[in-house]
Amino acid sequence: MAGLSALRTLHAAGVQDAALLELEDSVGGNSRAHVLAGQACPVGAHYLPVPGLAAREVSEWLHEIGLMRFDALRGKSLPDERHLAHAPQERLWIDGHWQDGLLASTEGRPALAAQAQRFAQAVSQASHLGFAMPSQRAPFGAAHAALDAQTFAHWLQAQGLNDPHLLAYLDYACRDDYGAGLHTVSAWAGLHYFASRHGFKAPGTPLSEAEARSEGVFTWPEGNAWLVERLAAPLRAHLHPARTVLRVDEGKHGVDVWAWNEAKAELEHWQTPQVVMALPLFVSARVLANPLDALTKAVQGAHYAPWLVTHLQLSEALIDRPGMPPAWDSVAYAPAGSTSALGYVDNQHQSLRPDRGLHTGPGVISAYHALLESERAALYSQPAATWAQRVLADLRILHADIDDKVSAMALCRHGHAMRIPTPGTRSHPALAALRQQRGRIRFAHSELAGYSVFEEAFTLGWAAGQAAA
């Protein structure tokens, strides 16, 4: 996404002889799509929150492609509701039934109700320190550094927030956005998840119109590949897929790039005045002939989350259980740190057909697993059948008949899906140095923010494109 954003920005600035060398057969990175049984499904990112005020470049582009529009009568920008996740959005399987939302119900749980209120107050107080999405649009002072120096679990313990149901929800939130749980990510990251967007509302707290709108998310059957297509379409002639970049060498008068053309099985030599490295930093460190000292330091001790995304074709409707009806996102309750499973999304949920939904007929669901770093080797070496059985075991908790209804499965493994914002990552001086890098080689990747989301990638790509132009 950062590379596409940088290319778009260069072209908008009048630099028409810019090209993007893409490793894969199609662009999009973690936002690409797959097709199973004729049904589009995401191989990675599958939603985009309605952007806040700080993500102005993202918002401007969404206005450009029609996802946002300015309402002159109301004096505000509004999302196109046809592309927002339809209700019901999320449900949780707990205590033998489905419930609305992913935080366990506070009914009959007075301790959870009290601690949810206290956590809401803590997030509100933290918001006054300054949090934004993208993160570089907010100040970062001593109080932020103190949060970044400890784990989220340690901070929660210090606040006396220890209710297991609250911790289970917060652990899920961290794994969903960062690929690792509250015992691994920093307290800055844990609070940033809420404070940079829509905050945290304790159950039963009414939402204002603005708050309800800010909690909306854009989504499509193919996930964020829908956004990729809109970003890539005007740039198609300048995209060069199936290019394995082998070496980037900065010289006195320009930059030499050597790439292997996979389709033609031949070496290509590109010469250019400037290069934007829209790569994970540990890959940039291998590709650059003379990596910067800041780059070398930025990848030392870095942690990356491996992910498994599994698409399951259903031959017929699954039997549902008591509680709320099928939702876009379905998750099983699990204590913090006890599972890598993140539930599944229904890829037909956005359909406008009256018979939409996997429980009214066959379809495709996509299950997500944020794995431990220690599982990366197994993800690489173990056969697909082994992982398929693990996926089915996790889904069996939600649907006992899942084995009888699955006619095909497609598994996508991401060995290094995203950088984990462990303590010290956000305040890492080397990342700051790379964000401010000047010269013939510039860097644009969400990893420069210490974690991986669309708004960060798009904005960092825009900044690199502007600087290069």
Side-chain angles (χ1 to χ4, degrees):
M1 300 309 301
L4 287 169
S5 177
L7 181 63
R8 171 183 173 271
T9 304
L10 281 163
H11 278 249
V15 181
Q16 295 299 310
D17 58 343
L20 188 149
L21 303 186
E22 166 62 45
L23 173 69
E24 304 291 347
D25 292 331
S26 59
V27 295
N30 286 349
S31 294
R32 286 174 294 138
H34 179 65
V35 177
L36 180 61
Q39 171 67 54
C41 41
V43 300
H46 63 281
Y47 66 91
L48 172 66
V50 175
L53 295 176
R56 51 183 177 268
E57 292 81 17
V58 175
S59 180
E60 288 171 2
W61 179 61
L62 296 187
H63 279 81
E64 181 182 313
I65 64 174
L67 275 185
M68 302 280 293
R69 63 179 179 83
F70 183 75
D71 189 320
L73 293 177
R74 302 171 73 175
K76 62 182 69 173
S77 290
L78 301 173
D80 184 339
E81 295 186 359
R82 294 174 299 174
H83 296 274
L84 294 180
H86 299 167
Q89 285 192 23
E90 300 169 324
R91 62 176 183 169
L92 181 71
W93 176 255
I94 183 172
D95 297 335
H97 68 277
W98 289 106
Q99 64 141 74
D100 187 22
L102 299 183
L103 174 62
S105 171
T106 56
E107 186 176 349
R109 298 187 178 100
L112 173 60
Q115 291 203 15
Q117 289 285 356
R118 287 173 52 201
F119 181 68
Q121 293 169 2
V123 171
S124 178
Q125 292 171 0
S127 298
H128 295 303
L129 295 176
F131 286 87
M133 179 72 71
S135 58
Q136 300 308 310
R137 298 278 162 79
F140 190 85
H144 297 88
L147 291 170
D148 192 47
Q150 59 185 307
T151 65
F152 193 26
H154 183 271
W155 181 86
L156 289 166
Q157 183 181 24
Q159 307 303 309
L161 298 171
N162 55 12
D163 182 86
H165 295 90
L166 176 63
L167 296 182
Y169 168 71
L170 297 178
D171 187 70
Y172 173 89
C174 291
R175 290 187 295 117
D176 184 50
D177 242 29
Y178 305 132
L182 52 81
H183 290 92
T184 303
V185 307
S186 71
W188 175 87
L191 290 170
H192 176 74
Y193 178 93
F194 299 98
S196 65
R197 284 180 170 150
H198 48 70
F200 175 84
K201 291 289 184 180
T205 305
L207 297 178
S208 67
E209 179 187 354
E211 289 171 334
R213 190 167 56 251
S214 70
E215 286 195 344
V217 296
F218 295 111
T219 189
W220 305 268
E222 65 270 42
N224 286 9
W226 191 94
L227 296 168
V228 171
E229 177 58 28
R230 272 72 187 167
L231 195 52
L235 307 170
R236 196 73 68 189
H238 302 270
L239 305 180
H240 302 268
R243 298 313 202 273
T244 301
V245 174
L246 305 173
R247 181 181 175 92
V248 177
D249 195 355
E250 182 179 9
K252 184 176 182 180
H253 301 292
V255 184
D256 292 288
V257 178
W258 283 267
W260 183 258
N261 185 321
E262 300 288 350
K264 295 183 178 180
E266 63 183 29
L267 188 67
E268 294 179 348
H269 179 205
W270 297 69
Q271 292 178 302
T272 175
Q274 296 191 70
V275 164
V276 174
M277 303 291 288
L279 299 167
L281 297 184
F282 76 93
V283 180
S284 288
R286 292 176 180 232
V287 168
L288 280 171
N290 298 293
L292 300 169
D293 183 58
L295 181 59
T296 302
K297 291 179 178 178
V299 300
Q300 291 174 349
H303 296 270
Y304 295 87
W307 280 67
L308 177 68
V309 183
T310 307
H311 310 299
L312 302 94
Q313 179 189 357
L314 303 176
S315 58
E316 57 182 292
L318 292 169
I319 299 173
D320 211 16
R321 288 169 159 179
M324 67 173 295
W328 169 57
D329 194 6
S330 298
V331 179
Y333 174 81
S338 66
T339 183
S340 64
L342 289 165
Y344 69 86
V345 294
D346 173 5
N347 295 309
Q348 286 73 243
H349 190 71
Q350 292 302 100
S351 171
L352 297 178
R353 299 195 324 267
D355 64 336
R356 71 172 175 82
L358 67 106
H359 300 283
T360 57
V364 175
I365 62 174
S366 298
Y368 286 77
H369 284 74
L371 304 174
L372 298 173
E373 283 192 281
S374 59
E375 296 181 283
R376 181 178 293 116
L379 182 63
Y380 176 73
S381 61
Q382 291 182 355
T386 300
W387 288 102
Q389 287 305 312
R390 177 166 166 179
V391 172
L392 288 172
D394 288 328
L395 291 176
R396 215 171 284 133
I397 298 171
L398 305 177
H399 302 285
D401 59 334
I402 186 74
D403 295 78
D404 298 329
K405 305 293 178 65
V406 173
S407 56
M409 296 176 68
L411 292 84
C412 179
R413 57 188 176 187
H414 300 268
H416 299 75
M418 58 180 67
R419 182 158 180 166
I420 302 172
T422 53
T425 300
R426 173 60 181 82
S427 52
H428 202 308
L431 292 181
L434 292 176
R435 288 193 298 267
Q436 299 161 8
Q437 173 66 22
R438 297 293 180 266
R440 295 191 180 277
I441 294 179
R442 302 175 188 276
F443 297 88
H445 191 274
S446 61
E447 189 178 341
L448 295 175
Y451 67 108
S452 178
V453 299
F454 180 94
E455 298 94 322
E456 298 285 5
F458 189 96
T459 307
L460 286 161
W462 170 86
Q466 285 278 34

